[in-house]
Amino acid sequence: MTEIPQTMRALVVPAPGAAPRVEIRPVPRPGHGEVLVRIAASPINPSDMSTIAGEYGIGWQFPLVPGLEGSGRVVADGGGLLARALRGRAVSCVADRQGLWAEYAVTQAARCVALPRDTALGPAAMSFVNPLTAIALVGIARRGGHWSAVSTAAGGALGRMIRARARARGLKIIDVVRREDQAEALRREGARHVLSTDRDDFDEALAATCRQLRCRMAFDAVGGGMTFRLGEALRGKGEIVLYGGLAQEAARLHPGTMIFKGLTVRGFWLSRWLAGRSLPERLWMARQVTKALQGGFAESRVADVCELADAPEAVARHAARTSAGKILIAPGAEDLGLGGAGAAPE
């Protein structure tokens, strides 16, 4: 086992909305039921940007280290059956008290999934938040008796995973993207029902497609005016599951739509949803994610891989390229299995 240093580099946000900076911090030590992970990679997700802004619901105190998911190798444990079993294993993991944009991080052993030996650490870094969200949202729709659903922000990694999971579970997806070129790209990939909001007749086309597919469910990652448009288009007794706020403004709804169409809106937060799952359910989901990662469903496109020293600049340009692929922060020298260019295949 590699000797563990006393200090490490970490990307630290000193205050809400402040630019992150690289600092030297003590390497944390795991307590009972926890593990110390030498981080291989961690993606920049929209939830990380909300954490930096102080708008995410995890309650971490500033200054903080962002990075909600990643991959690496367990190099120490604080005791406990599961923690000891993970020692020396490559894992994908979710952060606990602090994030993963650092050379080392402590998290609960229960927040780690041991990876098969042939699993690349680059794709594994992105195998929690988006895949589990896709599994959860499609599961909510199917358990509610729905056979179709609208998915907004469908051009990104999560939109692709929702589409793949829905196809496997017999759920038809109406994909909504911002631009017609994105819509054409999805059609070339085999998506059947794709609409771009830059069409003059978008609202009429969305309502017509909802009528055609008898659609009463929507997964909304945008909020703002998009929530209003979804409510108007869905069939009676429709439901909107709001799981993101890309519009960065309050979701809008017409009172008459809610009253006379029986529309309901509810929020979805993966962390709270996972907390409500039993241990067998969590183990089942971990197996699903591992299988999906090996089969390609859980693999996100990678636009760039940056070292920790270059991460502040990467965070600053993240918003301009969310649909081009993920930016991975790679603190160490681990082989991420992404090929010579550092990007996953299209």
Side-chain angles (χ1 to χ4, degrees):
M1 191 73 68
T2 305
E3 184 178 350
I4 301 169
Q6 294 297 310
T7 61
M8 66 177 187
R9 295 176 303 148
L11 202 64
V12 179
V13 180
R21 64 195 183 200
V22 178
E23 294 183 0
I24 302 298
R25 285 191 159 195
V27 173
R29 296 294 184 248
H32 185 78
E34 296 179 332
V35 293
L36 177 67
V37 181
R38 186 176 66 227
I39 301 300
S42 178
I44 303 176
N45 287 325
S47 52
D48 297 312
M49 302 305 290
S50 295
T51 299
I52 291 171
E55 297 172 351
Y56 203 61
I58 52 179
W60 292 351
Q61 298 298 308
F62 286 87
L64 60 77
V65 177
L68 294 176
E69 68 173 338
S71 65
R73 189 169 299 278
V74 174
V75 295
D77 69 86
L81 184 62
L82 181 56
R84 286 195 297 269
L86 289 174
R87 187 161 184 166
R89 297 291 302 273
V91 297
S92 58
C93 54
V94 175
D96 187 10
R97 297 188 301 273
Q98 285 284 278
L100 309 182
W101 292 357
E103 293 179 299
Y104 293 86
V106 163
T107 190
Q108 297 176 40
R111 290 174 174 249
C112 299
V113 174
L115 298 171
R117 297 189 185 280
D118 59 348
T119 302
L121 288 172
M126 304 167 283
S127 65
F128 253 103
V129 173
N130 282 351
L132 284 180
T133 299
I135 288 171
L137 292 177
V138 171
I140 288 170
R142 293 299 290 115
R143 284 191 296 274
H146 296 278
W147 292 96
S148 60
V150 182
S151 174
T152 65
L158 179 51
R160 297 174 191 277
M161 292 183 193
I162 289 173
R163 193 159 49 253
R165 184 68 178 180
R167 187 181 303 116
R169 292 295 180 268
L171 183 72
K172 296 178 181 178
I173 293 293
I174 304 168
D175 292 295
V176 174
V177 294
R178 291 180 298 169
R179 304 187 310 273
E180 188 57 33
D181 63 303
Q182 293 175 310
E184 284 299 326
L186 294 193
R187 293 185 190 110
R188 287 195 296 271
E189 293 176 7
R192 292 190 59 191
H193 308 284
V194 190
L195 299 170
S196 60
T197 57
D198 63 0
R199 287 177 48 167
D200 292 337
D201 65 342
F202 167 75
D203 294 296
E204 293 83 355
L206 179 59
T209 308
C210 286
R211 284 195 300 272
Q212 175 190 347
L213 299 182
R214 300 180 181 179
C215 183
R216 293 180 169 84
M217 168 66 75
F219 311 136
D220 186 13
V222 179
M226 177 55 68
T227 310
F228 173 87
R229 301 170 91 172
L230 292 170
E232 297 302 300
L234 291 176
R235 309 306 296 149
K237 298 182 180 179
E239 180 179 3
I240 299 174
V241 179
L242 189 61
Y243 71 96
L246 294 176
Q248 297 186 324
E249 60 183 66
R252 298 199 296 273
L253 292 163
H254 194 292
T257 302
M258 300 190 72
I259 295 168
F260 300 117
K261 289 180 68 174
L263 178 71
T264 60
V265 179
R266 60 163 154 159
F268 173 86
W269 183 25
L270 181 63
S271 296
R272 181 173 291 124
W273 183 82
L274 281 173
R277 304 304 102 186
S278 65
L279 180 58
E281 286 178 309
R282 293 188 192 188
L283 292 174
W284 177 84
M285 285 184 288
R287 288 195 296 270
Q288 291 292 304
V289 168
T290 301
K291 288 169 55 179
L293 189 61
Q294 292 175 313
F297 148 61
E299 187 170 335
S300 298
R301 294 176 178 177
V302 177
D304 196 8
V305 178
C306 68
E307 212 278 337
L308 203 60
D310 302 318
E313 188 273 334
V315 171
R317 60 186 167 87
H318 167 265
R321 54 189 309 175
T322 53
S323 63
K326 292 290 186 183
I327 299 176
L328 283 183
I329 297 173
E334 295 273 5
D335 180 8
L336 302 183
L338 296 173
E346 292 289 320

